[in-house]
Amino acid sequence: MLRRNDFIERSLAGALSFLKEAVFSDACALDRGFLQSLDPRIKIITFVLFIIRVLFTRDIVILLFLYALCLALAYYSKINLGFFLKRTWVFIPLFSLFIVIPALFSFVTPGEVLVSFSISGLKLTITRPGLSGAVLFTARVATSVSFAVLLGITTRHFALLKALRVFGIPQIFVFTIGMCYRYIYFFMEIIEHTCLAVKSRSGAKIHYKRGQRIVAWNIAYLWARSYQLNEEVYLAMLSRGYSGEPAALDDFRVGTKDWLWLAGVLIWMSLSFH
Amino acid sequence: MHIPDGYLGPVTCGFFYAVMLPIWAAASKIVKRTLQARHAPLLAIGAAFSFVIMMFNLPIPGGSTGHAVGAVLAAILLGPWAGCIAVTVALVVQALLFGDGGITAIGANCFNMAFVEVFAGYYLYRLISGSSPVTSGRRVIAAGIAGYTALNIAALSAAVMFGIQPLLHKTAGGQSLYCPYGLNVAIPMMLGGHLAVFGWIEAIVTALVVKYLQKHDPLLLETGGGAHDENHG
C-alpha cells in the first residue's frame, strides 16, 4: 500500500502496467500450448483442485512435485519460464520469505537446535521446526501463486470469468464480474488520460496536501462519470434485448483431451491423499 | 490486506467461505429486490470503480505514496449490500486474473473487506452523520472517521485470522504449517501500519471524495445509486 516517488507517475504506472499485463496475458492465452487447448471450465476445476491440494499438504515432497508440475505445464504451454518465475516470485513469495525469517529462530519457534551463532553479541538459534516450517510456508505460497498466475495467463480473461458458472455461482455474479472486467479497461483509460493531463499542467513539484486533493477530485470525478455511464449502458443493453435477466452464451466444448486431463488429475489427487 | 494462498489453513479458509455464502446470497437477494432495473449495470460499474480506486496513489508526508482500499467509499456511494457485491467482485477479479489475494482465501478476504469494512464503515458513517444535510461538513468528518475505523477493524480481523493459525495448525514437533506468528505478533504487526499510515490514507480519500461530491454532485451521495433505498426507510 505504501510506495515511494511521485504520486502521478505511480498512478500512471499502475494503470499502464495493468493494461500491459492484461494484453500480455491475452497474448499468452492465444498461444497454441497445452493449457490453452483445454476447456476453461475443466482447467479452472483442475487448477482449483491443485491449489486445494497445495493448501492441505504437510509434505514438502508433494509441494515440490506440484511446483515442478506447474513449471512443466508452463513450459508445455509455451510460457517463457524466465518471465513466469519473475511474475510469480515477485512480490508475494519473496515477501513471504522475508516475513518468515524471524520464525526460523528459537524465540519464535522453539525446538531441536540446528545451528547457533552470534550477531553483535546477540545469540541466535535456528531450530529444525523453525526451518522446516519456513520452507513449507514459502514453498506453499510460491506454488499456490504459481498455479493461480498460470491459470490467469493461459486462459482468456473473459472465458475464465464466464467459466465460473461451473461452480454454480449465480448468473447475476458472473454477469457482474464480466461487465466489471470490461469497465476496468475503460476506467484505466480514464485514469491514464487524467494522470497525463494533471502531469502536464501541474509542474514538477506539488505539495502533498494539494496532491491529495487532486487524487480525491479524480476519484470523485471518476464516480460521477461512472454514474452517468450507467444510464447509457442500460439503454445500450435494452437495445440489445436485455429484459431484466442476464443471459450468457455457452460456447465451451469439452473434448476427449479435457476428460483425460480431468481424469488424470482426479486419479493423482486421490492417490496423493492416500 | 489481501491475504494470499498459503497463509491460512484449510479450516479457516473453509470457515470463511461458509460464513460468506449466506452473506452473498442475502446481498444478491436484497440488491435484486431494491436495485431499479435501469441501475443494473451500476453494480458492475461500482465493482470496476472499487477495483481502480486502488490504482490512485495518494501522496503522504515524507515523499511516499499509498493507496486506499476504497471499500467504505463504495459502501457510502452504493449502499452496504451493493457495496458488498461490488467489493466482492473486485476481489474475485484480482484473485483470479492477477493473483492478487489467494483463491482459497477469497472467503476470508471478502469477509474482511467486503463485509466487515463495508458494513462497519457504512453504519459508522450513518451514525456520525445522523440527520445532517447531505452537504454538511459533518458528513465529511463522518466519512473520514468511518474510513479510518473500518479499515482498522478489517485489519484487526485479518490479524486475528493470521494469529490463530499456529493454534489451529501445528505439528507435534512444534512446526507451524501456515502463518507462523501468533496473535501476540500478528495483531501489533498488522495494526501498527494501519493505525499509523494506511488508515489515514483511507480516511483522507473517503473524506475528500465525499467533500468533492457534496460540492459538485450531491445527488450522488443522496441516492446511493438507487441501491440505498432499503437503508433509508
Side-chain angles (χ1 to χ4, degrees):
Chain A
M1 214 184 280
L2 190 66
R3 294 171 184 172
R4 276 184 280 178
N5 294 332
D6 186 77
F7 70 99
I8 302 170
E9 296 279 355
R10 288 274 170 184
S11 301
L12 195 56
L16 288 175
S17 80
F18 167 85
L19 293 172
K20 203 174 137 191
E21 190 164 323
V23 169
F24 182 79
S25 297
D26 243 23
C28 288
L30 287 172
D31 265 341
R32 287 170 168 270
F34 173 70
L35 289 174
Q36 291 90 334
S37 68
L38 293 177
D39 179 274
R41 293 168 300 177
I42 298 292
K43 192 167 24 173
I44 199 169
I45 289 171
T46 51
F47 271 61
V48 168
L49 285 175
F50 282 135
I51 293 172
I52 289 173
R53 187 70 192 91
V54 169
L55 186 70
F56 271 90
T57 191
R58 296 176 169 208
D59 189 343
I60 189 71
V61 178
I62 291 181
L63 265 183
L64 292 177
F65 171 79
L66 283 165
Y67 187 64
L69 175 71
C70 186
L71 292 182
L73 287 171
Y75 177 77
Y76 285 109
S77 304
K78 299 187 177 171
I79 306 295
N80 181 303
L81 281 184
F83 157 80
F84 185 67
L85 289 171
K86 192 176 157 199
R87 172 72 182 79
T88 50
W89 277 90
V90 179
F91 153 88
I92 296 167
L94 281 182
F95 175 75
S96 307
L97 186 65
F98 175 73
I99 64 158
V100 85
I101 289 171
L104 291 170
F105 299 100
S106 56
F107 55 84
V108 175
T109 318
E112 185 191 336
V113 175
L114 266 185
V115 60
S116 288
F117 53 93
S118 291
I119 296 177
S120 307
L122 181 71
K123 194 186 173 196
L124 295 169
T125 303
I126 294 178
T127 62
R128 186 178 291 280
L131 181 66
S132 50
V135 170
L136 193 70
F137 176 70
T138 312
R140 194 195 305 280
V141 172
T143 311
S144 310
V145 169
S146 300
F147 273 113
V149 169
L150 191 58
L151 176 67
I153 61 175
T154 57
T155 320
R156 296 200 72 183
H157 285 177
F158 184 63
L160 182 58
L161 296 176
K162 211 162 77 169
L164 287 177
R165 285 169 64 200
V166 78
F167 293 104
I169 295 172
Q171 182 62 28
I172 178 83
F173 272 94
V174 180
F175 166 75
T176 306
I177 289 170
M179 268 185 84
C180 161
Y181 184 65
R182 290 192 191 96
Y183 285 108
I184 289 171
Y185 278 96
F186 180 66
F187 288 167
M188 288 296 168
E189 212 178 296
I190 295 179
I191 294 176
E192 190 194 336
H193 292 163
T194 315
C195 287
L196 284 173
V198 171
K199 201 180 161 197
S200 64
R201 284 166 179 79
S202 59
K205 287 187 180 176
I206 301 174
H207 190 268
Y208 77 89
K209 282 193 176 170
R210 190 169 163 244
Q212 289 176 349
R213 284 198 293 270
I214 290 173
V215 172
W217 182 85
N218 278 320
I219 297 174
Y221 168 74
L222 185 66
W223 179 249
R225 275 199 71 173
S226 311
Y227 198 79
Q228 287 165 5
L229 184 71
N230 168 68
E231 205 68 34
E232 293 166 26
V233 173
Y234 180 64
L235 291 175
M237 284 163 65
L238 282 183
S239 71
R240 284 163 178 79
Y242 176 71
S243 58
E245 279 299 320
L249 294 173
D250 194 353
D251 48 6
F252 296 132
R253 293 283 176 273
V254 182
T256 314
K257 189 178 177 184
D258 298 305
W259 289 121
L260 286 172
W261 166 250
L262 180 64
V265 171
L266 288 175
I267 290 168
W268 182 80
M269 285 289 164
S270 50
L271 288 176
S272 77
F273 270 111
H274 285 96
Chain B
M1 186 80 85
H2 291 63
I3 303 171
D5 284 315
Y7 277 60
L8 305 179
V11 175
T12 317
C13 292
F15 177 77
F16 283 104
Y17 265 109
V19 168
M20 282 309 294
L21 277 176
I23 296 171
W24 286 324
S28 71
K29 201 173 160 190
I30 290 169
V31 168
K32 210 170 174 181
R33 198 181 65 224
T34 57
L35 197 74
Q36 297 161 23
R38 67 186 178 85
H39 285 128
L42 198 67
L43 267 186
I45 292 171
F49 178 74
S50 306
F51 185 99
V52 299
I53 286 177
M54 288 182 239
M55 295 283 165
F56 284 100
N57 278 267
L58 193 81
I60 52 176
S64 293
T65 67
H67 70 76
V69 172
V72 177
L73 189 58
I76 292 171
L77 296 173
L78 290 163
W81 293 104
C84 176
I85 292 183
V87 177
T88 295
V89 167
L91 290 171
V92 169
V93 171
Q94 284 174 336
L96 273 182
L97 304 187
F98 302 100
D100 195 4
I103 291 174
T104 55
I106 284 176
N109 281 325
C110 287
F111 179 79
N112 294 334
M113 286 180 271
F115 177 66
V116 171
E117 189 176 349
V118 161
F119 279 83
Y122 179 78
Y123 284 106
L124 202 54
Y125 170 76
R126 292 287 308 273
L127 185 75
I128 299 170
S129 298
S131 54
S132 60
V134 80
T135 51
S136 88
R138 188 170 157 182
R139 286 193 179 247
V140 176
I141 295 166
I145 294 173
Y148 182 84
T149 313
L151 185 79
N152 279 291
I153 296 173
L156 176 65
S157 169
V160 171
M161 290 178 189
F162 290 137
I164 59 172
Q165 297 312 304
L167 301 173
L168 294 174
H169 308 282
K170 216 167 197 175
T171 63
Q175 176 197 321
S176 58
L177 296 167
Y178 301 94
C179 179
Y181 302 109
L183 291 165
N184 59 334
V185 176
I187 291 178
M189 287 305 286
M190 278 293 285
L191 279 190
H194 285 84
L195 285 169
V197 184
F198 306 131
W200 293 108
I201 292 174
E202 195 75 16
I204 290 166
V205 167
T206 315
L208 285 179
V209 171
V210 167
K211 191 179 167 188
Y212 278 105
L213 288 175
Q214 281 182 335
K215 200 173 166 187
H216 296 287
D217 204 344
L219 201 66
L220 291 179
L221 290 167
E222 231 163 43
T223 58
H228 251 183
D229 301 347
E230 85 275 20
N231 306 302
H232 287 288

